[in-house]
Amino acid sequence: MKLNSKGQVTIPAALRARHGLHEGEEVDVVEEGGVLRIVRVSGAETRGQRLVRHMRGRGGAKQTSGMSTDVLMELLRGE
């Protein structure tokens, strides 16, 4: 593994999968006894929590307010 010019390394896919690390998750690098460890940041939002926060309020309810279920189903299904 090489350190790039920005001080970044890539964690191999097999290790990310084994330890449940996903894109966008926060990790820290800590030094313990002269050894560097990558640890998950406790209390950080999970990938699912970030997705829910991002999508909240985007369901289009404003466009459909006042329409009955029958009207909505007809719009979705057609004839």
Side-chain angles (χ1 to χ4, degrees):
M1 199 177 316
K2 288 185 181 182
L3 191 67
N4 74 15
S5 63
K6 293 181 182 181
Q8 300 168 332
V9 295
T10 300
I11 301 170
L15 289 175
R16 292 192 312 266
R18 187 179 313 143
H19 295 279
L21 294 171
H22 302 283
E23 178 183 347
E25 286 187 306
E26 290 190 43
V27 295
D28 274 338
V29 177
V30 295
E31 183 178 10
E32 293 180 354
V35 175
L36 297 178
R37 292 183 51 218
I38 298 171
V39 295
R40 185 178 276 116
V41 174
S42 62
E45 281 185 318
T46 65
R47 182 174 178 239
Q49 290 168 329
R50 286 191 309 275
L51 180 60
V52 168
R53 181 176 41 79
H54 176 74
M55 296 303 294
R56 192 173 307 277
R58 295 179 184 228
K62 295 174 185 173
Q63 299 169 357
T64 60
S65 61
M67 292 185 189
S68 69
T69 302
D70 292 332
V71 171
L72 289 172
M73 294 306 290
E74 188 174 330
L75 286 169
L76 293 170
R77 292 185 178 164
E79 294 182 23

